[in-house]
Amino acid sequence: MLDPTVHRSLAAVLPAASLLTAPEDTKPYECDGLTLYRERPAAVVLPDTEAQVVDVLKLCHLARVPVVARGAGTSLSGGALPNAQGVVLSLAKFRRILSIDPLARTAVVQPGVRNLAISEAAAAFGLYYAPDPSSQIACSIGGNVAENAGGVHCLKYGLTVHNVRKLRAVLIDGEIVELGGDALDSAGYDLLALITGSEGLLAVITEITVKLLPKPQCARVALAAFDDLEKAGAAVGAVIAAGIIPAGLEMMDQPATRAVEDFVHADYPLDAAAVLLVESDGVNEEVAAEMDEIKRVLTESGATSIRVSKDEAQRLLFWSGRKAAFPAVGRISPDYYCIDGTIPRRALPRVLSAIEAWSVEYGLRCANVFHAGDGNLHPLILFDANVEGESAKAVAFGDRILGLCIEVGGTVTGEHGVGVEKLKTMCEQFGTEELAAFLRIKGAFDPQGLLNPGKAVPTLARCAEFGRMRVHAGELRHPDIPRF
Amino acid sequence: MSDAIVDGWCARIRDCAAREAPVAIVGGGSKAFYGHRVDGETLDTREHAGIVDYEPTELVVTARAGTPLADLETALAAERQMLAFEPPHFAEGATLGGTVAAGLSGPRRPYSGAVRDLVLGIRVIDGHGRHLAFGGRVMKNVAGFDVSRLMTGAQGTLGVITEVSLKCLPRPAAETTRVFECPADDAIRRVNEWSGHPLPLSATCYVDGRLAVRLSGAAPAVEAAARKLGGDAMPDADTFWRSVRDHAHRFFERGSGEVLWRLSVKSTAPFTDFDGVQLVEWGGALRWVRGASPALDAARLRAFAASHGGHATLFRGGNGRDGIFHPLAPAVMTLHRSLKEAFDPVRVLNRGRMYAGF
């Protein structure tokens, strides 16, 4: 329930249609892509202009009302989960591509623009925007920046942070800042990088300048089958040891392969224990030379079959299975829980065999898709929320996988963000001193903790509740730090 | 042993914080010319050196801050890998910690990324003497705020870097450099046009009326691109690019009273004469301007850089009193002060190196 005074002030700065408070209007905003968590916000605002964003933030700042910025709502970690006492600030109406500069290879876009729409608009100039999260037809670029989204091509082309030049953002007190620039670096601290991936805790982004790349002249993908997961994992290392950085390097295990084959009929080898997709892109000569080398390495690594796409249609067919992995798994199970962790690649056999053992232990099936090139693992835990206790088991299973990711020197999130989902595992990955430093950064931007409260960085109190506190030297050294 | 060194530094910083005595962090001293002079007790990072972990197939190397850059590069070269941001050394003895703290990148930067793009994890001692670890040793990691990149280029004002994990990349199989005689504005237009095409560009440099373009990648691709671009082959190109990277090239020899400005601008910014000589790198996005101090008007250079989306730095030869780094917008400056307060409230670390007070 929104305070009537706040309601009146919001109504004074927004068109009537841009302020939603009726339960039937706010219900669509109660969750994002992580539907395990739901919360009805007190209000949803849909400003049209940056000036309205400034007004909304100033009002909320003054009235101490929490603000949760929201793009397309595709977050898989609950990053856009509303706050019951707060306002959801939807950037859905910021959907214009403001300009494309083909010579400088940049596009200036509003945060609500869909990821794929940028590449579609840039195609006329032979350019594209490289990061391609699997939700790219729906997810917004503002959300991509907030989460530092990745995709299947980030080993070669980087994450969002590598592909954004400049941001315009509004701080909680309504102050507008410009970070980064049209140059390749900027004066002072790298606040552009700090805001990228900050999950809406530091500022609300209103304009983004992205870097565009020339479309590769040619791309081909090799589809290789292995009769053993470990051999497939070793093949990934061998490709990289040969001096190749593939444009994409993906692995799927047998349960994943079978699920997608039933769904898209991409002609995947069903008897294989693991399937690798290795893509090369660039100029024709480069791709030809690289693909020869990839085939040689895969053969030496024990691939039982290798097929290389002959044309663009076949390349897209080979990829269609991987890109459809989530919906395909959704077809064979009432519910699934997508885990996102990164490990050093050498730990892959250990992690996969642990997952297999836990799958038996919990009685829950698990399909593995893996951005193998950069060590980013996506186990999909299959469960049925209508069966008593299965949701809790799925979460417990997932937490154990993430715990192992930390243990082998990895991280609890490679690209989906912490949101609300990983607060608990953040307490395991970071010590109290580091968490306290994160909270001080938060305080430097938003001293009252109004922007997306309760996300991304657990308070030390929260960690204590979880019983997951990693305390240095056996004591909490800084009881004086701010907690939100 | 190394842990003892870091513990010792933590204790020293705690002690300095208690006394409000500033600390000046130094490595190899190769970039002592850069930034404002820092007064304080010297903390020499060179005793904390060595590669901690390097697994070539993971494309990740972790090394202590005092590791000589040259040693690190030699270790990577043995595995046919490299630091893709082509770090400038400027002088012998440059360390990894100083390289990351300065945040400067070399000729390959527009094509393979800057040092900040390749930093995966960092360990730092903050102004309270706490040793903190951020990021990690894996390629993709979005847990927590990106403190590793915040520390990169912060010039030691937010923390003493003790250890860094970096993404490394394979060395290109083949490399060739083509040279074209052309006027400056023509060179800038050309490199921008070429950058919009799928060509294996890895560096550009315009100096003395000649544009040098480096191509890197698989041999057939490099040869095909060289045929397409034309121009003349540059003999001994490695020496040329190293001289540009380290400012050993003749262009960077300053006469008495001369200063060197670094203008980081939009790559398509027009070539503008500033009563000095210019060297243009990074596909047009980096302009070095050398000239006599009074003739090169700071206000004019800063206005030019700002109007082309960038910033101007008085890179070498400043008088130590006037501002070196580009002024920040007031709201951005406030954030800088708040972050300094968050990491080093007593302002012990490299005080005044970047801006007044920090």
Side-chain angles (χ1 to χ4, degrees):
Chain A
M1 180 61 192
L2 199 60
D3 177 88
T5 323
V6 177
H7 189 284
R8 272 196 303 278
S9 356
L10 286 172
V13 297
L14 292 166
S18 299
L19 174 60
L20 314 176
T21 50
E24 66 272 23
D25 294 333
T26 57
K27 185 167 169 49
Y29 296 88
E30 69 179 3
C31 70
D32 55 23
L34 182 68
T35 53
L36 282 166
Y37 299 83
R38 288 170 199 270
E39 189 80 78
R40 197 76 62 81
V44 176
V45 297
L46 297 113
D48 288 296
T49 63
E50 188 185 65
Q52 289 173 1
V53 173
V54 168
D55 285 343
V56 167
L57 289 174
K58 277 184 177 167
L59 284 171
C60 291
H61 182 230
L62 209 64
R64 302 206 169 196
V65 173
V67 179
V68 178
R70 181 183 177 103
T74 57
S75 166
L76 293 172
S77 58
L81 180 76
N83 182 291
Q85 281 76 46
V87 167
V88 165
L89 198 171
S90 165
L91 281 308
K93 292 187 176 173
F94 285 74
R95 54 180 170 225
R96 280 188 305 138
I97 293 177
L98 299 172
S99 63
I100 292 181
D101 184 337
L103 190 59
R105 292 147 279 121
T106 53
V108 183
V109 301
Q110 292 190 321
V113 170
R114 288 176 309 115
N115 171 297
L116 192 60
I118 302 174
S119 290
E120 286 167 354
F125 307 103
L127 302 169
Y128 78 113
Y129 175 66
D132 58 345
S134 55
S135 56
Q136 70 177 151
I137 55 165
C139 63
S140 69
I141 186 69
N144 288 179
V145 174
E147 300 290 324
N148 191 15
V152 296
H153 289 98
C154 35
L155 179 65
K156 185 167 177 181
Y157 296 108
L159 301 156
T160 304
V161 70
H162 302 107
N163 290 280
V164 169
R165 284 276 161 76
K166 183 165 124 185
L167 296 176
R168 229 176 121 83
V170 187
L171 304 176
I172 185 64
D173 61 2
E175 190 81 54
I176 295 169
V177 290
E178 286 201 339
L179 308 172
D182 297 316
L184 296 179
D185 50 32
S186 55
Y189 298 149
D190 197 339
L191 301 185
L192 178 66
L194 188 64
I195 296 277
T196 306
S198 65
E199 303 195 19
L201 267 73
L202 304 183
V204 176
I205 297 158
T206 53
E207 194 179 293
I208 301 153
T209 304
V210 299
K211 165 175 132 180
L212 301 173
L213 293 178
K215 284 217 302 212
Q217 188 176 26
C218 152
R220 295 174 76 193
V221 64
L223 176 67
F226 288 83
D227 56 12
D228 179 84
L229 269 169
E230 220 164 301
K231 275 191 208 163
V236 172
V239 168
I240 286 163
I244 296 167
I245 300 295
L249 183 41
E250 297 287 311
M251 191 195 288
M252 296 166 76
D253 70 359
Q254 196 170 47
T257 310
R258 291 196 169 163
V260 302
E261 184 56 29
D262 281 349
F263 186 43
V264 295
H265 309 293
D267 206 9
Y268 280 16
L270 294 176
D271 54 343
V275 164
L276 281 188
L277 285 165
V278 189
E279 180 157 281
S280 169
D281 71 8
V283 292
N284 294 334
E285 296 82 358
E286 180 115 48
V287 174
E290 210 167 79
M291 208 29 101
D292 283 346
E293 186 69 0
I294 288 169
K295 278 193 287 188
R296 184 187 66 74
V297 174
L298 292 175
T299 306
E300 281 175 12
S301 304
T304 51
S305 76
I306 302 170
R307 281 181 291 156
V308 178
S309 61
K310 292 189 183 65
D311 51 31
E312 191 59 11
Q314 198 179 24
R315 184 181 80 88
L316 295 176
L317 181 70
F318 284 178
W319 272 113
S320 67
R322 171 60 187 88
K323 293 218 168 184
F326 294 9
V329 165
R331 246 170 47 115
I332 60 164
S333 173
D335 299 282
Y336 71 90
Y337 183 28
C338 175
I339 309 301
D340 164 48
T342 307
I343 56 170
R345 219 178 318 90
R346 59 193 161 199
L348 184 65
R350 183 178 158 196
V351 173
L352 290 181
S353 50
I355 291 175
E356 216 176 322
W358 292 333
S359 170
V360 175
E361 187 182 324
Y362 288 99
L364 297 176
R365 290 177 295 163
C366 183
N368 284 291
V369 296
F370 185 39
H371 300 306
D374 39 33
N376 189 194
L377 202 61
H378 290 314
L380 302 169
I381 299 172
L382 281 50
F383 70 101
D384 184 348
N386 289 324
V387 174
E388 178 76 30
E390 279 214 349
S391 300
K393 275 204 284 184
V395 171
F397 187 178
D399 278 356
R400 244 165 122 179
I401 297 173
L402 296 176
L404 185 57
C405 288
I406 300 170
E407 197 185 317
V408 300
T411 175
V412 296
T413 171
E415 57 183 2
H416 293 174
V418 173
V420 287
E421 183 200 16
K422 293 189 172 155
L423 289 171
K424 190 155 74 175
T425 42
M426 281 290 283
C427 305
E428 294 174 47
Q429 181 163 336
F430 291 96
T432 50
E433 305 275 27
E434 284 79 8
L435 292 173
F438 289 147
L439 294 170
R440 283 194 301 271
I441 292 173
K442 166 70 170 164
F445 283 78
D446 175 20
Q448 293 160 341
L450 296 173
L451 287 172
N452 216 3
K455 310 282 178 65
V457 182
T459 58
L460 302 184
R462 225 32 231 281
C463 290
E465 283 167 30
F466 290 134
R468 301 277 181 120
M469 184 97 77
R470 247 186 63 195
V471 179
H472 285 315
E475 58 171 335
L476 184 55
R477 270 195 255 168
H478 300 281
D480 56 320
I481 59 132
R483 289 151 200 243
F484 337 94
Chain B
M1 178 60 204
S2 248
D3 283 350
I5 292 170
V6 172
D7 287 348
W9 291 352
C10 290
R12 256 188 81 189
I13 290 169
R14 276 196 296 273
D15 174 58
C16 287
R19 291 185 288 118
E20 297 186 22
V23 172
I25 311 160
V26 298
S30 62
K31 289 171 280 291
F33 63 86
Y34 182 61
H36 295 280
R37 210 186 70 198
V38 173
D39 295 317
E41 299 176 20
T42 301
L43 191 151
D44 188 334
T45 62
R46 282 174 298 182
E47 54 180 329
H48 188 55
I51 293 172
V52 177
D53 186 27
Y54 175 37
E55 177 53 53
T57 66
E58 300 280 347
L59 298 174
V60 179
V61 65
T62 301
R64 297 187 186 101
T67 310
L69 199 50
D71 291 3
L72 186 58
E73 289 180 320
T74 303
L76 297 183
E79 301 291 340
R80 292 182 298 135
Q81 293 189 345
M82 62 178 183
L83 297 174
F85 62 97
E86 212 172 354
H89 290 232
F90 295 125
E92 269 182 50
T95 60
L96 172 63
T99 299
V100 173
L104 297 167
S105 304
R108 210 179 292 273
R109 189 269 171 256
Y111 313 97
S112 302
V115 54
R116 60 85 95 167
D117 292 316
L118 297 150
V119 167
L120 301 173
I122 208 158
R123 302 190 77 183
V124 293
I125 304 171
D126 72 6
H128 288 290
R130 297 180 287 227
H131 196 209
L132 308 170
F134 299 100
R137 295 180 188 180
V138 288
M139 215 71 78
K140 272 164 97 178
N141 184 358
V142 293
F145 296 129
D146 198 342
V147 179
S148 310
R149 292 193 169 92
L150 177 64
M151 290 290 165
T152 306
Q155 300 181 39
T157 61
L158 297 177
V160 181
I161 298 172
T162 61
E163 192 180 290
V164 185
S165 294
L166 290 163
K167 177 178 178 177
C168 21
L169 285 176
R171 293 174 82 84
E175 221 157 50
T176 187
T177 298
R178 310 299 295 181
V179 182
F180 309 82
E181 301 238 355
C182 60
D185 46 2
D186 203 27
I188 289 168
R189 184 186 50 78
R190 274 201 222 185
V191 293
N192 275 287
E193 285 173 0
W194 288 336
S195 298
H197 289 93
L199 290 164
L201 300 176
S202 71
T204 72
C205 177
Y206 181 81
V207 64
D208 302 330
R210 290 171 8 131
L211 170 66
V213 175
R214 188 174 65 189
L215 302 160
S216 305
V222 168
E223 285 157 22
R227 276 195 304 276
K228 188 169 173 186
L229 295 186
D232 303 313
M234 176 190 273
D236 202 12
D238 285 353
T239 308
F240 170 77
W241 291 112
R242 205 172 314 121
S243 74
V244 172
R245 181 194 78 181
D246 292 342
H247 289 191
H249 188 277
R250 259 179 309 103
F251 170 87
F252 295 99
E253 281 170 24
R254 280 178 298 126
S256 97
E258 282 195 327
V259 295
L260 179 71
W261 280 84
R262 178 187 190 270
L263 272 53
S264 180
V265 292
K266 188 170 185 175
S267 63
T268 51
F271 184 84
T272 307
D273 189 16
F274 294 106
D275 300 320
V277 286
Q278 268 183 72
L279 182 146
V280 182
E281 277 192 88
W282 289 8
L286 186 62
R287 321 253 168 121
W288 298 100
V289 185
R290 174 172 60 81
S293 169
L296 284 181
D297 177 35
R300 188 176 164 219
L301 289 162
R302 294 210 194 276
F304 171 83
S307 71
H308 293 285
H311 61 110
T313 310
L314 179 49
F315 201 76
R316 288 179 193 259
N319 58 19
R321 289 187 305 274
D322 301 337
I324 288 175
F325 299 103
H326 205 92
L328 302 173
V332 175
M333 181 54 104
T334 303
L335 291 177
H336 277 65
R337 291 190 191 286
S338 304
L339 286 166
K340 176 72 173 174
E341 181 75 21
F343 282 93
D344 179 23
V346 188
R347 298 186 294 137
V348 175
L349 306 172
N350 272 7
R351 184 190 297 173
R353 171 111 192 178
M354 291 181 89
Y355 293 96
F358 67 92

